[in-house]
Amino acid sequence: SHGNKEVFSCRGILLAVQWFWDRGHKDITVFVPSWRKEQPRPDVLITDQNILRDLEKKKILVFTPSRRVGGKRVVCYDDRFIVKLAHESDGIVVSNDTYRDLQNERPEWKKFIEERLLMYSFVNDKY
């Protein structure tokens, strides 16, 4: 949401990570689809891609798998990665997604999502 739905802002990810880091949370994992590493297309703008590589080197960011089949990109359902890791590590999920579909997939995920989902907003560069 940092890019106001006009661009994918990697700086927004860094601001969020920094906010938690500054409060003593060191076990932070960011999931981003691997196609975000590619050269951006004019209709899918991305800013500050180098931030993604830096966070990956620091083992904070994980790229979720994607591949090309018959010229089309096939991506995995990364929401499942997010909820599964947070549930298994007794963490929280930071997202504005309600994960309604995953709440119906597993009863333990429903309760977890209801209690451990932290929604957020940006005001300019303030997380």
Side-chain angles (χ1 to χ4, degrees):
S1 65
H2 185 257
N4 294 324
K5 298 182 181 173
E6 297 168 11
V7 299
F8 183 83
S9 170
C10 300
R11 181 164 163 65
I13 293 172
L14 181 60
L15 290 169
V17 167
Q18 194 64 54
W19 191 89
F20 285 97
W21 193 268
D22 290 348
R23 282 152 184 79
H25 302 283
K26 304 303 183 205
D27 187 8
I28 300 170
T29 304
V30 175
F31 287 102
V32 174
S34 62
W35 62 267
R36 292 284 187 191
K37 311 191 246 198
E38 298 172 8
Q39 185 69 26
R41 298 186 333 231
D43 60 327
V44 187
L45 298 175
I46 184 169
T47 58
D48 302 311
Q49 268 180 312
N50 60 307
I51 290 172
L52 300 182
R53 288 185 292 278
D54 292 345
L55 289 173
E56 182 183 33
K57 284 179 192 166
K58 293 176 181 171
K59 307 231 183 272
I60 292 172
L61 185 141
V62 175
F63 286 104
T64 57
S66 68
R67 59 192 169 105
R68 289 206 172 272
V69 176
K72 293 193 181 238
R73 181 183 295 123
V74 177
V75 297
C76 71
Y77 187 53
D78 55 1
D79 288 359
R80 193 171 284 111
F81 281 88
I82 294 164
V83 172
K84 185 175 188 299
L85 177 65
H87 182 259
E88 289 174 354
S89 62
D90 197 31
I92 64 167
V93 174
V94 178
S95 177
N96 288 336
D97 187 334
T98 59
Y99 300 99
R100 206 164 270 134
D101 55 331
L102 291 178
Q103 289 186 40
N104 297 325
E105 192 171 296
R106 291 179 146 185
E108 66 271 22
W109 284 4
K110 178 176 176 40
K111 183 171 174 24
F112 179 80
I113 292 166
E114 287 173 350
E115 296 175 358
R116 306 299 288 269
L117 176 63
L118 178 63
M119 299 181 116
Y120 66 92
S121 62
F122 285 96
V123 177
N124 298 317
D125 278 349
K126 294 209 185 293
Y127 177 80

